[in-house]
Amino acid sequence: MKGRQAGWGSAVLDRFQNPTQVLATGFGSVILLGTLLLRLPIATTSGESADWVAALFTATSAVCVTGLAIVDTGGHWSAFGEGVIAGLVQVGGFGIMILATLFTMIVSNRMGLRARLMAQAQTSTLTVVDARRVVRNVIVFSLVSEAVVAVILTGRLMIGYGESFGTALYHGVFHAISAFNNAGFSLWPDSLTRFVSDPWICLTISGAVIVGGLGVPVIFELLRSWRRPSRWTVLTRVTVVVTTLLLSVGTMVFLMTEWRNPGTLGALKDSDKLLASFFTAVMPRSSGFNTIDVSQMESSSWLVTDILMFVGAGSAGTGGGIKVTTLGLLAFVIWAEIRGEPQVNIGHRRLTESAQRQAVAICMLGVALVAIATYVLLIMTPHSLDQVLFEAVSAFSTTGLSTGITPDVPPAGHLMLVVLMFIGRIGPLTLGSALALKERIRRYELPEERVIVG
């Protein structure tokens, strides 16, 4: 029995030495399966097989919980196709939340991963039970959250809009899955613009997006210690503070910029403007719903949305982007450098140098990836820089918002966005975990040299 445990421990150790292969293979396999299912004639309303590019793009967008679409989700796909999309979103959301939670627990533990696995392989510790408990908690929490959102949406659609129970339930469940997993797929061709003045719909969807974006570790810690912020971990503290700051600033910026814009907030009542601005600030966390026409937004609002999308959601959440923790850590690094402090401190904790390097690496690689994709798309399409940049950031951050140019991009551009969504989905998680778990001990030090920076 002990030999079998040791063999299992060694196998897990080998797996975690290269988490990129595990994630890439898993997500790639699900995308392939989703593409084949969406290619079936039964998956479209016309009864004809969907185009390969459309099926691949939609499957990738669903598994990577992005929400970008080159065909009308509610009009092009049949009930079977929409069910496949919802299933792919659920699988993608489960996968990200489970793996992100496991990585968060392992990386944040005082003992390194290798030491933990070696010790567990040689003793009778309950490694498998711990992993199963985490998986169970994530699945139960996700399903309960989605059920609550689905009940609220179903009731509102029945009472406020006269939909039958079956139709309301169908729409409620689909959009609950899409919202909690930060996917942004909608069965209505105008996304959620018809509900721009409905706080029941908008606030419920926003709440689901925020909770899904924060992640299970942060939510559970908030539930346990919400009255004692001083006991929060650095992950929870940075995630909550930065998320709150970005939501507040985003709401105010959109409110001021779009206040008189007749294409967005100009025609709404003041109270509805505030609701729409808040909703618009929440969605770049990594969900592609919209209650105002994104294509009619001011260029300055597009730029702010680019920034919010690039940052994304929490490290253990379903959202994409470089993550709010990365931005928070970089802010503390800059603040410590400005003050001339030799160490970077967050509350009563000191930030390790490896964490600082990881934050810089993730941010710079994200910038490079978006820049390259934007350049390629500019060559492929006749659209302006701000539109193409918006599309590239949305795909990389798996947000799903669009200025409306997605269907007009040529097939080669669609494949480019597929690659960008795939890398953007697995990239930050695998890169962050790989960098955190791959620490080498240098047995010598080179002579130090001061270099002029700036």
Side-chain angles (χ1 to χ4, degrees):
M1 185 67 180
K2 291 183 178 179
R4 294 179 63 182
Q5 288 181 347
W8 177 86
S10 300
V12 173
L13 179 60
D14 293 338
R15 291 283 186 179
F16 275 96
Q17 285 179 344
N18 196 341
T20 306
Q21 293 181 356
V22 179
L23 278 180
T25 302
F27 274 78
S29 300
V30 178
I31 289 173
L32 176 60
L33 176 61
T35 301
L36 295 177
L37 290 176
L38 292 177
R39 276 277 297 167
L40 297 175
I42 194 177
T44 63
T45 55
S46 64
E48 300 177 356
S49 296
D51 178 76
W52 275 107
V53 175
L56 174 62
F57 190 97
T58 304
T60 305
S61 183
V63 175
C64 297
V65 291
T66 304
L68 283 176
I70 58 179
V71 295
D72 179 19
T73 303
H76 182 81
W77 305 109
S78 64
F80 174 82
E82 293 167 359
V84 170
I85 293 173
L88 294 176
V89 169
Q90 189 73 85
V91 171
F94 277 160
I96 284 297
M97 292 198 75
I98 291 171
L99 291 173
T101 302
L102 289 173
F103 281 139
T104 298
M105 293 176 61
I106 293 171
V107 171
S108 62
N109 196 285
R110 292 183 178 181
M111 185 182 295
L113 173 65
R114 185 181 299 274
R116 290 183 65 195
L117 291 177
M118 288 298 185
Q120 292 159 354
Q122 297 171 6
T123 63
S124 299
T125 52
L126 301 177
T127 306
V128 179
V129 175
D130 291 340
R132 288 176 179 172
R133 184 182 298 113
V134 171
V135 172
R136 184 181 67 248
N137 289 341
V138 170
I139 293 178
V140 170
F141 175 77
S142 300
L143 293 178
V144 170
S145 300
E146 291 171 0
V148 172
V149 174
V151 168
I152 297 175
L153 294 179
T154 300
R156 182 56 181 168
L157 291 173
M158 290 177 59
I159 297 173
Y161 299 91
E163 292 191 0
S164 65
F165 174 75
T167 302
L169 180 63
Y170 182 79
H171 283 86
V173 171
F174 184 94
H175 290 89
I177 295 174
S178 184
F180 179 79
N181 292 288
N182 282 212
F185 279 100
S186 177
L187 297 180
W188 294 291
D190 58 351
S191 189
L192 301 180
T193 55
R194 64 187 64 188
F195 305 113
V196 64
S197 302
D198 191 332
W200 282 96
I201 300 292
C202 293
L203 294 181
T204 300
I205 294 291
S206 297
V209 170
I210 293 173
V211 171
L214 289 177
V216 171
V218 174
I219 294 296
F220 280 12
E221 185 169 355
L222 290 176
L223 293 176
R224 290 192 305 265
S225 307
W226 66 275
R227 292 183 177 181
R228 294 168 289 183
S230 59
R231 297 189 180 183
W232 293 353
T233 61
V234 172
L235 171 66
T236 299
R237 189 172 303 176
V238 172
T239 300
V240 172
V241 170
V242 177
T243 298
T244 303
L245 179 63
L246 292 178
L247 290 178
S248 302
V249 172
T251 301
M252 292 299 102
V253 169
F254 291 130
L255 194 63
M256 292 185 297
T257 305
E258 302 294 331
W259 183 271
R260 299 184 183 279
N261 186 347
T264 55
L265 301 182
L268 301 177
K269 298 185 298 184
D270 291 354
S271 59
D272 294 338
K273 290 180 180 180
L274 179 60
L275 177 63
S277 297
F278 174 73
F279 189 91
T280 305
V282 171
M283 292 308 110
R285 312 309 321 133
S286 196
S287 185
F289 294 112
N290 61 280
T291 55
I292 60 175
D293 189 350
V294 177
S295 66
Q296 298 299 314
M297 292 171 62
E298 303 288 349
S299 297
S300 55
S301 295
W302 282 351
L303 178 60
V304 174
T305 307
D306 288 340
I307 297 173
L308 294 176
M309 290 191 299
F310 184 77
V311 174
S315 294
T318 55
I322 64 170
K323 308 298 186 180
V324 294
T325 46
T326 302
L327 176 65
L329 297 186
L330 290 177
F332 278 102
V333 170
I334 295 173
W335 180 244
E337 189 66 26
I338 291 176
R339 299 182 64 181
E341 296 179 352
Q343 305 291 343
V344 179
N345 301 319
I346 302 179
H348 300 290
R349 295 291 186 270
R350 178 173 57 86
L351 187 63
T352 63
E353 293 184 1
S354 61
Q356 300 174 41
R357 294 195 301 268
Q358 292 157 21
V360 173
I362 290 174
C363 182
M364 295 309 298
L365 288 174
V367 170
L369 188 61
V370 170
I372 293 172
T374 301
Y375 174 78
V376 174
L377 289 174
L378 279 174
I379 295 176
M380 293 182 176
T381 67
H383 302 293
S384 62
L385 173 61
D386 50 2
Q387 290 176 306
V388 171
L389 177 62
F390 192 101
E391 208 77 8
V393 175
S394 180
F396 166 76
S397 62
T398 67
T399 300
L401 290 172
S402 175
T403 58
I405 69 172
T406 309
D408 300 331
V409 174
H414 289 152
L415 295 178
M416 176 70 188
L417 291 176
V418 165
V419 174
L420 195 58
M421 286 188 288
F422 186 76
I423 296 176
R425 176 69 280 174
I426 68 172
L429 175 60
T430 55
L431 177 61
S433 59
L435 291 176
L437 300 175
K438 188 178 181 181
E439 293 187 5
R440 298 179 178 177
I441 300 176
R442 185 181 292 274
R443 302 184 182 278
Y444 61 90
E445 293 290 340
L446 297 174
E448 186 179 88
E449 180 176 347
R450 301 289 294 180
V451 178
I452 299 177
V453 179

